[in-house]
Amino acid sequence: MTTDDGHSEIVTETVAKPPLSTIGHIGEHEGQTVTLHGWLYNMRESGKLLFPIFRDGTGTIQGIVPKAAVTPEVFEKVKGLTQESSVIVTGKVRADKRAPGGYELDVEGVEVIQQVPADDPYPISLKEHGTDFLMEHRHLWIRTPRQAAILRIRAEIIKAARDFLDDNGFVLTDPPILTPAACEGTSTLFPVDYFGDEAYLTQSGQLYIESTALALGKVYSFGPTFRAEKSKTRRHLTEFWMVEPEWAFADLDDLMGLAENFISFIVDRVVTRRAAELKMINRDVAKLEAIKPPFPRLRYDEAAAMLNEAHAKGFLDQPFEYGNDFGSPDETYISSQFDRPVMVHRYPAAVKAFYMEPDPVEPMCWRRRGTAR
């Protein structure tokens, strides 16, 4: 370009790069060209049209690649992609009510970061696989939509639990994972060599946070716990994360109110924020929406009478012996009679552990844990 004074200047035009988006927020860029970082989840082909489906951890989206609309190089790159190849894709976001997420991507360009070799393909295809095979490839299984949805729901539950307790005046305190003694049954301990001494993986943070409750008033722990019970049932886990609140000067009604509000808050948060994930795992949302306070509350003797009535009608194989704790069939039957969680209180004191406080009005009944000392 020549200026008015006769000098020549070189002008360089800067082309703006498409904004980086995630599939989960793709709707914010409708009508715009964006860049996605992700992997090829699946591919369909129909003549001169390619339909690659991309995933990026936040969701999946179908791309549209007409042969006439892109360069031959782009078309061949997309056509040659193998499952789980990692790519950087650019394309224009277009709303489409027929699409699962409401949007599709008109692909304009693709950069292949890593291509899975065709002679050594990704092992988990879209066909059915046996559980044993999937467990052996668990690090890859979590890439499938159902497993990814479960992890997102789990993360939402954990965040909701923390938010509720934090917002209601509870202070997070972290008990140790290695402990010198049992706080539950001694037969369920995992021993660990601790520099020549024997220690154990924690069964619960309870004994530690009871101390911090007496310093801070309302506390909770949320961490890993371990139980050495060799069992394959859904009710026996060797490792799990447990949230444990402790509240000084709380009575039984305080604790039951805390429990129902805590559970209801978590369920509502998941239903509100993780509707797509709940749909993915075929969860009946109507049952979850019914979980609102107040929860039904039964005295132990009322629950025992309910079980014996159920046995008399043939719904349970065995009668319930008053004074016992509830077994799995008992809990299942009682729960089935309500549309939300049910709380059973006023257990016989003899059934409960030594640290449970007897009811002052009914000394033979347990009232609450004696934290307010």
Side-chain angles (χ1 to χ4, degrees), residues 47-58:
K48 297 181 179 181
L49 274 175
L50 301 177
F51 300 96
I53 298 177
F54 301 106
R55 68 171 192 87
D56 71 347
T58 68

Side-chain angles (χ1 to χ4, degrees), residues 353-370:
F354 69 93
Y355 50 76
M356 299 292 187
E357 183 181 2
D359 190 310
V361 178
E362 303 174 76
M364 296 304 293
C365 290
W366 162 75
R367 183 180 66 171
R368 60 179 173 85
R369 185 179 293 165

Side-chain angles (χ1 to χ4, degrees), residues 4 16 34 45 63-64 122 166 177 199 212 221 276 308 364 368 371:
D4 292 340
V34 299
E45 184 175 353
I64 310 296
Y122 183 73
D166 292 344
I177 295 174
T212 56
S221 65
N308 283 320
M364 296 304 293
R368 60 179 173 85
T371 303

Side-chain angles (χ1 to χ4, degrees), residues 244-313:
E244 297 181 273
E246 291 287 348
W247 182 358
F249 297 103
D251 60 22
L252 181 60
D253 288 333
D254 291 330
L255 297 181
M256 289 195 288
L258 174 66
E260 63 187 3
N261 289 322
F262 177 64
I263 293 171
S264 301
F265 179 88
I266 293 173
V267 172
D268 181 70
R269 173 75 71 83
V270 172
V271 168
T272 301
R273 296 190 179 182
R274 294 298 172 184
E277 286 80 5
L278 292 171
K279 183 178 180 180
M280 170 61 66
I281 65 173
N282 296 319
R283 185 66 196 229
D284 186 354
V285 177
K287 291 183 178 180
L288 296 176
E289 290 173 340
I291 300 178
K292 298 184 183 300
F295 293 171
R297 300 182 182 187
L298 296 178
R299 291 177 58 95
Y300 174 91
D301 51 5
E302 292 173 323
M306 179 185 293
L307 293 172
N308 283 320
E309 182 180 350
H311 172 258
K313 293 179 178 180

Side-chain angles (χ1 to χ4, degrees), residues 95-120:
D96 190 326
K97 294 180 179 179
R98 298 169 298 176
Y103 298 93
E104 290 187 337
L105 190 71
D106 292 326
V107 176
E108 299 171 0
V110 61
E111 179 183 351
V112 181
I113 304 301
Q114 189 272 335
Q115 178 130 346
V116 176
D119 58 354
D120 186 18

Side-chain angles (χ1 to χ4, degrees), residues 14 22 25 27 33 42 101 114 136 168 191 233 288 325 337:
T14 301
T22 62
H25 290 273
T33 296
N42 192 24
Q114 189 272 335
E136 289 173 0
N168 281 275
T233 73
L288 296 176
D325 206 347
Q337 304 305 298

Side-chain angles (χ1 to χ4, degrees), residues 73-146:
E73 180 186 15
V74 169
F75 189 83
E76 291 303 317
K77 272 188 179 182
V78 175
K79 187 175 182 179
L81 288 176
T82 49
Q83 186 183 1
E84 286 302 313
S85 293
S86 53
V87 293
I88 298 176
V89 182
T90 56
K92 190 172 184 179
V93 181
R94 176 169 45 82
D96 190 326
K97 294 180 179 179
R98 298 169 298 176
Y103 298 93
E104 290 187 337
L105 190 71
D106 292 326
V107 176
E108 299 171 0
V110 61
E111 179 183 351
V112 181
I113 304 301
Q114 189 272 335
Q115 178 130 346
V116 176
D119 58 354
D120 186 18
Y122 183 73
I124 301 179
S125 64
L126 298 183
K127 68 177 184 180
E128 291 292 329
H129 293 281
T131 302
D132 290 344
F133 175 85
L134 293 172
M135 293 296 283
E136 289 173 0
H137 297 81
R138 190 182 297 185
H139 63 298
L140 301 176
W141 189 21
I142 58 176
R143 300 186 186 191
T144 60
R146 178 178 174 82

